[in-house]
Amino acid sequence: MVDLTDEERSAITATMKRVALLMEEIGWGTPLADLTEAQVRALIEEAVEGFREAMSNIAKANAPEVPF
């Protein structure tokens, strides 16, 4: 089991929203076994990019302000 930080949990939540938008296009009723290679790749890419972007935004928001 992975021990996630609060920031990682927040990033996952943000990522879920992005993946859900892509699933809307694919169709929620589509079985995973019926997804094309391109659709699986798109879902993975969306998840990875969404997580990276969310973590970056969290890090920027938590960074101390430079005083000069």
Side-chain angles (χ1 to χ4, degrees), residues 19 22-44:
V19 171
L22 183 53
M23 280 304 301
E24 283 291 323
E25 293 177 25
I26 293 170
W28 282 100
T30 306
L32 289 176
D34 291 345
L35 294 178
T36 66
E37 180 180 342
Q39 289 170 323
V40 172
R41 184 179 307 277
L43 285 168
I44 292 169

mmCIF file of all heavy atoms in Angstrom, residues 19 22-44:
data_model
loop_
_atom_site.group_PDB
_atom_site.id
_atom_site.type_symbol
_atom_site.label_atom_id
_atom_site.label_comp_id
_atom_site.label_asym_id
_atom_site.label_seq_id
_atom_site.Cartn_x
_atom_site.Cartn_y
_atom_site.Cartn_z
ATOM 1 N N VAL A 19 -9.284 12.919 -16.200
ATOM 2 C CA VAL A 19 -9.522 11.592 -16.767
ATOM 3 C C VAL A 19 -11.020 11.388 -17.026
ATOM 4 O O VAL A 19 -11.407 10.799 -18.033
ATOM 5 C CB VAL A 19 -8.941 10.502 -15.846
ATOM 6 C CG1 VAL A 19 -9.358 9.108 -16.296
ATOM 7 C CG2 VAL A 19 -7.421 10.602 -15.791
ATOM 8 N N LEU A 22 -12.077 12.812 -20.330
ATOM 9 C CA LEU A 22 -11.697 11.937 -21.433
ATOM 10 C C LEU A 22 -12.610 10.713 -21.492
ATOM 11 O O LEU A 22 -13.001 10.273 -22.573
ATOM 12 C CB LEU A 22 -10.232 11.513 -21.296
ATOM 13 C CG LEU A 22 -9.643 10.660 -22.410
ATOM 14 C CD1 LEU A 22 -9.845 11.286 -23.783
ATOM 15 C CD2 LEU A 22 -8.167 10.415 -22.154
ATOM 16 N N MET A 23 -12.977 10.188 -20.334
ATOM 17 C CA MET A 23 -13.897 9.048 -20.309
ATOM 18 C C MET A 23 -15.268 9.428 -20.856
ATOM 19 O O MET A 23 -15.950 8.592 -21.447
ATOM 20 C CB MET A 23 -14.031 8.492 -18.889
ATOM 21 C CG MET A 23 -12.882 7.595 -18.472
ATOM 22 S SD MET A 23 -12.598 6.190 -19.592
ATOM 23 C CE MET A 23 -14.171 5.348 -19.525
ATOM 24 N N GLU A 24 -15.672 10.676 -20.684
ATOM 25 C CA GLU A 24 -16.929 11.145 -21.277
ATOM 26 C C GLU A 24 -16.879 10.993 -22.789
ATOM 27 O O GLU A 24 -17.848 10.578 -23.418
ATOM 28 C CB GLU A 24 -17.198 12.610 -20.907
ATOM 29 C CG GLU A 24 -17.715 12.818 -19.518
ATOM 30 C CD GLU A 24 -19.121 12.303 -19.316
ATOM 31 O OE1 GLU A 24 -19.958 12.413 -20.232
ATOM 32 O OE2 GLU A 24 -19.379 11.770 -18.221
ATOM 33 N N GLU A 25 -15.720 11.334 -23.380
ATOM 34 C CA GLU A 25 -15.556 11.204 -24.832
ATOM 35 C C GLU A 25 -15.566 9.739 -25.266
ATOM 36 O O GLU A 25 -16.171 9.397 -26.277
ATOM 37 C CB GLU A 25 -14.245 11.848 -25.280
ATOM 38 C CG GLU A 25 -14.187 13.342 -25.131
ATOM 39 C CD GLU A 25 -12.831 13.902 -25.538
ATOM 40 O OE1 GLU A 25 -12.125 13.263 -26.341
ATOM 41 O OE2 GLU A 25 -12.488 14.996 -25.042
ATOM 42 N N ILE A 26 -14.887 8.895 -24.513
ATOM 43 C CA ILE A 26 -14.786 7.478 -24.855
ATOM 44 C C ILE A 26 -16.120 6.787 -24.629
ATOM 45 O O ILE A 26 -16.556 5.965 -25.436
ATOM 46 C CB ILE A 26 -13.676 6.793 -24.016
ATOM 47 C CG1 ILE A 26 -12.306 7.345 -24.425
ATOM 48 C CG2 ILE A 26 -13.729 5.285 -24.162
ATOM 49 C CD1 ILE A 26 -11.162 6.919 -23.518
ATOM 50 N N GLY A 27 -16.756 7.117 -23.536
ATOM 51 C CA GLY A 27 -18.015 6.482 -23.153
ATOM 52 C C GLY A 27 -17.822 5.651 -21.904
ATOM 53 O O GLY A 27 -17.015 4.715 -21.896
ATOM 54 N N TRP A 28 -18.536 6.009 -20.849
ATOM 55 C CA TRP A 28 -18.374 5.343 -19.562
ATOM 56 C C TRP A 28 -18.761 3.873 -19.625
ATOM 57 O O TRP A 28 -18.278 3.064 -18.839
ATOM 58 C CB TRP A 28 -19.194 6.052 -18.488
ATOM 59 C CG TRP A 28 -18.536 7.299 -18.008
ATOM 60 C CD1 TRP A 28 -18.838 8.578 -18.383
ATOM 61 C CD2 TRP A 28 -17.452 7.406 -17.095
ATOM 62 N NE1 TRP A 28 -18.002 9.460 -17.748
ATOM 63 C CE2 TRP A 28 -17.144 8.770 -16.947
ATOM 64 C CE3 TRP A 28 -16.708 6.479 -16.377
ATOM 65 C CZ2 TRP A 28 -16.128 9.234 -16.113
ATOM 66 C CZ3 TRP A 28 -15.695 6.936 -15.543
ATOM 67 C CH2 TRP A 28 -15.418 8.299 -15.420
ATOM 68 N N GLY A 29 -19.615 3.514 -20.546
ATOM 69 C CA GLY A 29 -20.062 2.127 -20.648
ATOM 70 C C GLY A 29 -19.117 1.229 -21.420
ATOM 71 O O GLY A 29 -19.351 0.025 -21.517
ATOM 72 N N THR A 30 -18.026 1.796 -21.936
ATOM 73 C CA THR A 30 -17.080 1.002 -22.708
ATOM 74 C C THR A 30 -16.236 0.140 -21.774
ATOM 75 O O THR A 30 -15.537 0.673 -20.910
ATOM 76 C CB THR A 30 -16.133 1.923 -23.519
ATOM 77 O OG1 THR A 30 -16.916 2.815 -24.307
ATOM 78 C CG2 THR A 30 -15.223 1.114 -24.406
ATOM 79 N N PRO A 31 -16.288 -1.184 -21.940
ATOM 80 C CA PRO A 31 -15.444 -2.053 -21.103
ATOM 81 C C PRO A 31 -13.959 -1.784 -21.379
ATOM 82 O O PRO A 31 -13.582 -1.465 -22.508
ATOM 83 C CB PRO A 31 -15.823 -3.464 -21.548
ATOM 84 C CG PRO A 31 -17.166 -3.328 -22.187
ATOM 85 C CD PRO A 31 -17.175 -1.956 -22.807
ATOM 86 N N LEU A 32 -13.139 -1.918 -20.358
ATOM 87 C CA LEU A 32 -11.709 -1.681 -20.533
ATOM 88 C C LEU A 32 -11.122 -2.567 -21.633
ATOM 89 O O LEU A 32 -10.256 -2.125 -22.384
ATOM 90 C CB LEU A 32 -10.964 -1.927 -19.212
ATOM 91 C CG LEU A 32 -11.181 -0.898 -18.111
ATOM 92 C CD1 LEU A 32 -10.456 -1.328 -16.838
ATOM 93 C CD2 LEU A 32 -10.724 0.476 -18.537
ATOM 94 N N ALA A 33 -11.601 -3.770 -21.747
ATOM 95 C CA ALA A 33 -11.088 -4.692 -22.763
ATOM 96 C C ALA A 33 -11.401 -4.218 -24.175
ATOM 97 O O ALA A 33 -10.751 -4.650 -25.134
ATOM 98 C CB ALA A 33 -11.661 -6.087 -22.542
ATOM 99 N N ASP A 34 -12.378 -3.334 -24.317
ATOM 100 C CA ASP A 34 -12.770 -2.833 -25.638
ATOM 101 C C ASP A 34 -12.068 -1.532 -26.017
ATOM 102 O O ASP A 34 -12.265 -1.024 -27.123
ATOM 103 C CB ASP A 34 -14.287 -2.632 -25.712
ATOM 104 C CG ASP A 34 -15.051 -3.950 -25.690
ATOM 105 O OD1 ASP A 34 -14.413 -5.018 -25.912
ATOM 106 O OD2 ASP A 34 -16.269 -3.921 -25.438
ATOM 107 N N LEU A 35 -11.277 -0.978 -25.115
ATOM 108 C CA LEU A 35 -10.564 0.258 -25.433
ATOM 109 C C LEU A 35 -9.468 -0.032 -26.456
ATOM 110 O O LEU A 35 -8.818 -1.072 -26.412
ATOM 111 C CB LEU A 35 -9.928 0.858 -24.179
ATOM 112 C CG LEU A 35 -10.874 1.375 -23.096
ATOM 113 C CD1 LEU A 35 -10.079 1.877 -21.905
ATOM 114 C CD2 LEU A 35 -11.791 2.451 -23.624
ATOM 115 N N THR A 36 -9.274 0.917 -27.344
ATOM 116 C CA THR A 36 -8.183 0.780 -28.305
ATOM 117 C C THR A 36 -6.874 1.123 -27.618
ATOM 118 O O THR A 36 -6.852 1.728 -26.535
ATOM 119 C CB THR A 36 -8.378 1.727 -29.501
ATOM 120 O OG1 THR A 36 -8.270 3.079 -29.031
ATOM 121 C CG2 THR A 36 -9.716 1.513 -30.180
ATOM 122 N N GLU A 37 -5.779 0.769 -28.267
ATOM 123 C CA GLU A 37 -4.470 1.117 -27.713
ATOM 124 C C GLU A 37 -4.343 2.633 -27.583
ATOM 125 O O GLU A 37 -3.826 3.136 -26.585
ATOM 126 C CB GLU A 37 -3.353 0.588 -28.607
ATOM 127 C CG GLU A 37 -1.972 0.910 -28.080
ATOM 128 C CD GLU A 37 -0.855 0.391 -28.960
ATOM 129 O OE1 GLU A 37 -1.084 -0.489 -29.792
ATOM 130 O OE2 GLU A 37 0.274 0.900 -28.802
ATOM 131 N N ALA A 38 -4.841 3.354 -28.568
ATOM 132 C CA ALA A 38 -4.775 4.822 -28.529
ATOM 133 C C ALA A 38 -5.583 5.378 -27.351
ATOM 134 O O ALA A 38 -5.161 6.353 -26.708
ATOM 135 C CB ALA A 38 -5.276 5.409 -29.843
ATOM 136 N N GLN A 39 -6.726 4.790 -27.059
ATOM 137 C CA GLN A 39 -7.551 5.266 -25.948
ATOM 138 C C GLN A 39 -6.866 4.993 -24.605
ATOM 139 O O GLN A 39 -6.877 5.850 -23.719
ATOM 140 C CB GLN A 39 -8.931 4.614 -25.984
ATOM 141 C CG GLN A 39 -9.793 5.107 -27.117
ATOM 142 C CD GLN A 39 -11.055 4.287 -27.289
ATOM 143 O OE1 GLN A 39 -11.045 3.064 -27.124
ATOM 144 N NE2 GLN A 39 -12.151 4.963 -27.620
ATOM 145 N N VAL A 40 -6.265 3.814 -24.461
ATOM 146 C CA VAL A 40 -5.552 3.486 -23.219
ATOM 147 C C VAL A 40 -4.376 4.434 -23.052
ATOM 148 O O VAL A 40 -4.141 4.973 -21.964
ATOM 149 C CB VAL A 40 -5.080 2.018 -23.215
ATOM 150 C CG1 VAL A 40 -4.183 1.738 -22.015
ATOM 151 C CG2 VAL A 40 -6.281 1.075 -23.217
ATOM 152 N N ARG A 41 -3.647 4.650 -24.137
ATOM 153 C CA ARG A 41 -2.505 5.561 -24.085
ATOM 154 C C ARG A 41 -2.968 6.966 -23.695
ATOM 155 O O ARG A 41 -2.348 7.630 -22.862
ATOM 156 C CB ARG A 41 -1.799 5.600 -25.439
ATOM 157 C CG ARG A 41 -0.535 6.447 -25.453
ATOM 158 C CD ARG A 41 0.139 6.421 -26.809
ATOM 159 N NE ARG A 41 0.384 5.074 -27.293
ATOM 160 C CZ ARG A 41 1.432 4.331 -26.940
ATOM 161 N NH1 ARG A 41 2.328 4.814 -26.115
ATOM 162 N NH2 ARG A 41 1.585 3.114 -27.420
ATOM 163 N N ALA A 42 -4.067 7.425 -24.265
ATOM 164 C CA ALA A 42 -4.589 8.758 -23.960
ATOM 165 C C ALA A 42 -4.983 8.866 -22.489
ATOM 166 O O ALA A 42 -4.724 9.892 -21.846
ATOM 167 C CB ALA A 42 -5.776 9.085 -24.859
ATOM 168 N N LEU A 43 -5.602 7.825 -21.948
ATOM 169 C CA LEU A 43 -5.980 7.838 -20.533
ATOM 170 C C LEU A 43 -4.751 7.904 -19.630
ATOM 171 O O LEU A 43 -4.719 8.670 -18.663
ATOM 172 C CB LEU A 43 -6.815 6.602 -20.189
ATOM 173 C CG LEU A 43 -8.259 6.620 -20.666
ATOM 174 C CD1 LEU A 43 -8.886 5.247 -20.529
ATOM 175 C CD2 LEU A 43 -9.060 7.652 -19.892
ATOM 176 N N ILE A 44 -3.733 7.108 -19.960
ATOM 177 C CA ILE A 44 -2.511 7.107 -19.155
ATOM 178 C C ILE A 44 -1.819 8.457 -19.248
ATOM 179 O O ILE A 44 -1.391 9.026 -18.234
ATOM 180 C CB ILE A 44 -1.575 5.962 -19.585
ATOM 181 C CG1 ILE A 44 -2.206 4.620 -19.227
ATOM 182 C CG2 ILE A 44 -0.197 6.112 -18.937
ATOM 183 C CD1 ILE A 44 -1.509 3.420 -19.837
#
